[in-house]
Amino acid sequence: MIASNPTIERITGKISDQSLLFQYTVKLVLIVSFAELILYRLVSRLGMHLSKLAQEHEWIIPTFTALTQIGQWLLNVVAILLFIALCVAAISRVTNRGFVGTNLIVIPCVALLLLLTVGFLLIPPAFLGSAIYNLVALVVLVCLMVEYLSTHTEWSHRAMGITYLLGIGGWLYYQIVSTIYSFAGTVAAPPLVYEAHRGGEGLLVLSSILVMWAYGQGVSVRTRNQRQRRRAIWFWVTSVSTFLVMLFLDYLLHRYDAGMAGNIRKAADGIGWIFQFGMGYTFFMPFAIYLTGLLCWSYTVIKLLNMGRLAGYGLGLMFIAGYALLYSNLTLMVVLGAMLLTMDRYRRDATDSAPATNPPVVSRPDSLVGGHI
């Protein structure tokens, strides 16, 4: 009888397990996408917001114009890198898993998204083309998230995946339904588009907070390591205190100095305006909640990137794209991020111990010489 070998859980799908082309392409996509977010989607809007200061300081206009031009160049670089990364990821999925299961839907839809993106460069999309593009993207994301939920049984992972899908799905629903109603020329209001838009934004921010619960291990107070426990206590005390201060900051400043509170409120409105045009957040919820989501997402992504896990690259791209997917490259960025997220999973492997066999009932002496009869 052969004894069964014990199994251990190992993380598969690390960035180092992929080909060099895939590794460098994904890393470049993340770096250039983050630079494009800062220089184009945020800094360019900041330059527009500083129009009054530009009248007093002449260097503001040429500086922000140069940064915006660099951001536009990076936008084209991101699009090219996304094409390469999606093609390599699709080929890798078919090679490793075959053209079965979710690949029957994911691979053709990804190919259709790439073809539509190229086609829209030649012929600008009309209402119907935009609706088809967003509908195909929604189908791809649903299939990828179903695959993610089937391979990740932890409640934290499932809660994060479901909230993200519902959040980004709220934006896609808003775009699809509004575009179809505009194409039909009807004056009736689309059903639940306002609720879907606001609810999707709230769920996406909630998902950015749940990212830390799902992947940001190391800040639990239940650990037996005294040093890690002290760090976790300091982390949570500082985080909760900062959140409460940010939540009631406007009220406290108004009690202390109404003029100072008004100036800070205007500055916060300006930041919200920049992020609204850059990433699609309307900031209808308290600013402290958005800041908490940003900090939780940043901590988790940096930690996963240091570990070399594909989940870090996937989560980075998914949230760098933001909420309002106004450009095709942002939609492709979310699709690539979801594909990378599904590649990061746990696999049960058998240990390398040799198989054990049952010993014979009667042992045989090694030699009869010198033995007792």
Side-chain angles (χ1 to χ4, degrees), residues 36-48:
E36 180 268 331
L37 168 66
I38 300 298
L39 295 179
Y40 182 67
R41 284 186 278 160
L42 297 183
V43 171
S44 62
R45 271 70 179 183
L46 179 61
M48 296 169 59

Side-chain angles (χ1 to χ4, degrees), residues 72-228:
Q72 290 177 346
W73 178 78
L74 291 177
L75 190 67
N76 297 326
V77 175
V78 169
I80 296 174
L81 293 174
L82 283 171
F83 267 74
I84 298 175
L86 283 171
C87 291
V88 175
I91 294 173
S92 177
R93 285 178 65 94
V94 175
T95 303
N96 296 331
R97 308 178 191 179
F99 196 64
V100 295
T102 55
N103 282 347
L104 291 172
I105 302 177
V106 171
I107 302 302
C109 288
V110 170
L112 181 58
L113 283 177
L114 296 178
L115 291 176
L116 289 175
T117 303
V118 175
F120 291 159
L121 293 176
L122 303 175
I123 303 176
F127 291 112
L128 185 60
S130 299
I132 294 175
Y133 191 88
N134 289 322
L135 182 61
V136 174
L138 181 60
V139 172
V140 174
L141 292 177
V142 169
C143 292
L144 290 174
M145 280 302 168
V146 168
E147 178 183 342
Y148 176 80
L149 296 176
S150 64
T151 56
H152 294 73
T153 58
E154 296 85 352
W155 281 106
S156 57
H157 291 171
R158 291 188 170 183
M160 187 274 298
I162 291 173
T163 52
Y164 182 86
L165 177 61
L166 294 177
I168 206 69
W171 165 262
L172 292 175
Y173 172 82
Y174 166 77
Q175 287 293 308
I176 293 171
V177 176
S178 300
T179 305
I180 292 176
Y181 270 63
S182 298
F183 175 76
T186 179
V187 295
L192 301 177
V193 290
Y194 179 80
E195 293 79 3
H197 185 275
R198 286 298 181 93
E201 179 180 342
L203 289 173
L204 198 68
V205 176
L206 176 61
S207 179
S208 65
I209 299 175
L210 295 178
V211 162
M212 187 172 179
W213 180 35
Y215 290 97
Q217 295 85 3
V219 290
S220 175
V221 296
R222 297 181 180 180
T223 179
R224 296 181 179 180
N225 190 312
Q226 296 295 331
R227 186 176 182 181
Q228 292 183 358

